[in-house]
Amino acid sequence: MKNEKIELLSPAGDLERLKVTLLYGADAVYIGGKEFSLRANATNFSVDEIKEACNFAHSIGKRVYLTVNIVFHNEDVGEIYQYLSAVSKCGIDAIIASDPFVIAYVVKNFPHIEAHVSTQNSTCNYETVRFFKQEGVKRVVVARELSKEEIKEIIDKTKMDIEVFIHGAVCTFYSGRCALSNYVTNRDSNRGGCSQVCRFALDKSGEQHKFTMATKDLNLASHIAELIEIGVKSLKVEGRMRSIYYLATVISSYRKLIDSYYAGTLNDTFIDKQNKILGRVANRETSTHYFDHVADYRDQYYTGRQELSNQDYLTLIIDYNQKTNEITMIERNYFSIGDEVEIFTPNGDVYSLIVDNLRNHDYQEIDVARHPDEVLFMYFKGKIVPYSMMRKKV
C-alpha cells in the first residue's frame, strides 16, 4: 500500500462538467481549449474559462490539466507559442502533449507547469519513459495497449509518475493513431476531428449483417487494488463529451472503490455493486482489454452490436430547502408515483426511496413526470446538495 493516495483524474468538456466531476470526487480534471485539442467537437474552454476552471478547482484543493495533444502540422505551429503563453497565466497545473517540440517548450519556458506526455505518444516501454524523464517531463500517460506486468516494469525501472486509463472508450487503433476518419470523412482524428468511423456499420459483400470493427469500452473497476499496488500515480477516465450524469456516476463509483481500498474495506461484494452501477450508465459492453490478457476478438464488436441508452437518469437536483425538506429538480426522463428510485449526492450519500409525492412547475400534484426539462418539486428529508441526481434504483 502506498503512502500517497492515487489520483482519480476525470475528463471535463465544459465548466459545468468540470464542477460536477470535481464535486463527485475527482482529484483533478483534464480539459481541452478551443485550439490544439483532440476533442474538437466538445464545447471546450476559452482562455477566460480555463482561468475560471482553475480558480474553482484550486478553491477546493483540486488540479486542472490542459490537453495540447493534436498531431501538429506546419500550419498548426504558428500560433501555439502565443497560446501556451496565454494559458500559462491561467493557473493550470499541467499541460498534456504528445509532440516533442511542445513538451520541450513547456519544460523550458513554464517551470511552474508540469509537462505530461499524452497517450497519443503511444509510450509502451521504459526506455522511452526514461528519455522523457531526462527531458524534464513529470508524468507519462502510457499507451492503453500495455499489460499490468508491462506497466509495473516501467514504474519499477524508471520511478516515473505513470498515468493509466481505467474507464471509457478505447480506440480501435494504436492509442488513437488512426487515419480512417481522414480517408472516409475528411476529418483528421489526430487533429481533433475523429468521426468514429470504426463504429460505422459497413456493408459486407454477400452478407445480411453489417460489419463493424468497434472496440468495447474499458472497465478496470475490478483491478483498482492492483493498479494502486504496482505504483500507478493516476487513474484516468475517458469522456470529455460525456453527460454530467455519466461523469457523476462513473467518478462516484471509482471514488468509492479507491477510498474503500485505502480504508481496508474493499471486497468482491463491493466491487460487484460498483460494477453494476457502472454497467447501467454505459451503453456499450466493457472489457479489461490489454491489462490482464492478450486482447482478441472478444474485446471487439464485429456484427450485431447494439448501443442502447437506458433511461435511468431521472432528475438533476438544483435546490433543496432544508426548512421544508423540499427538492427542486429538473426532469430528465419519465417516472411516476410508486417508482423505486435512488438519490445520489456529490458527498457520496445514496438514498433509496419510493416516489410518493410530486408537483409540477405550476406546483400542482401529479402522478407522472413525462416532460423532460420541466421543473419539478418533491418532499424528501436527507443531506441533499446541488448537483445531486435521482436515478432508477440500481
Side-chain angles (χ1 to χ4, degrees), residues 309-346:
S309 298
N310 63 43
Q311 283 75 49
D312 284 0
Y313 180 24
L314 302 179
T315 70
L316 170 66
I317 295 173
I318 57 174
D319 192 28
Y320 179 64
N321 189 320
Q322 292 184 337
K323 293 183 179 179
T324 62
N325 295 322
E326 186 174 53
I327 294 171
T328 304
M329 53 193 179
I330 300 175
E331 182 187 347
R332 290 292 180 249
N333 281 295
Y334 176 100
F335 68 101
S336 62
I337 296 292
D339 285 353
E340 289 188 79
V341 302
E342 291 178 339
I343 294 175
F344 67 107
T345 73

Side-chain angles (χ1 to χ4, degrees), residues 146-217:
L146 297 184
S147 68
K148 178 181 74 173
E149 290 74 22
E150 289 175 305
I151 297 169
K152 183 178 186 303
E153 185 175 9
I154 288 172
I155 294 169
D156 290 345
K157 288 187 175 180
T158 67
K159 310 303 179 186
M160 185 66 152
D161 287 355
I162 296 298
E163 183 175 301
V164 174
F165 274 95
I166 58 167
H167 200 91
V170 176
C171 183
T172 301
F173 299 90
Y174 225 94
S175 285
R177 289 176 174 261
C178 165
L180 265 185
S181 183
N182 306 50
Y183 286 113
V184 177
T185 66
N186 200 30
R187 289 168 52 183
D188 192 337
S189 55
N190 293 292
R191 297 165 80 187
C194 179
S195 57
Q196 297 193 350
V197 173
C198 58
R199 300 198 184 278
F200 286 11
L202 306 173
D203 289 325
K204 188 178 179 184
S205 179
E207 297 287 341
Q208 180 180 358
H209 297 293
K210 299 280 188 178
F211 171 81
T212 70
M213 62 191 85
T215 306
K216 294 179 181 179
D217 280 7

Side-chain angles (χ1 to χ4, degrees), residues 271-290:
I271 293 171
D272 289 345
K273 178 181 179 181
Q274 298 308 316
N275 263 322
K276 184 178 180 182
I277 293 171
L278 292 168
R280 289 295 296 265
V281 77
N283 65 344
R284 290 192 286 265
E285 294 179 46
T286 63
S287 166
T288 55
H289 289 285
Y290 297 86

Side-chain angles (χ1 to χ4, degrees), residues 148 222-232 261 291-292:
K148 178 181 74 173
S222 298
H223 298 277
I224 294 302
E226 296 165 75
L227 287 157
I228 294 172
E229 288 165 3
I230 65 174
V232 172
Y261 170 84
F291 186 78
D292 62 351

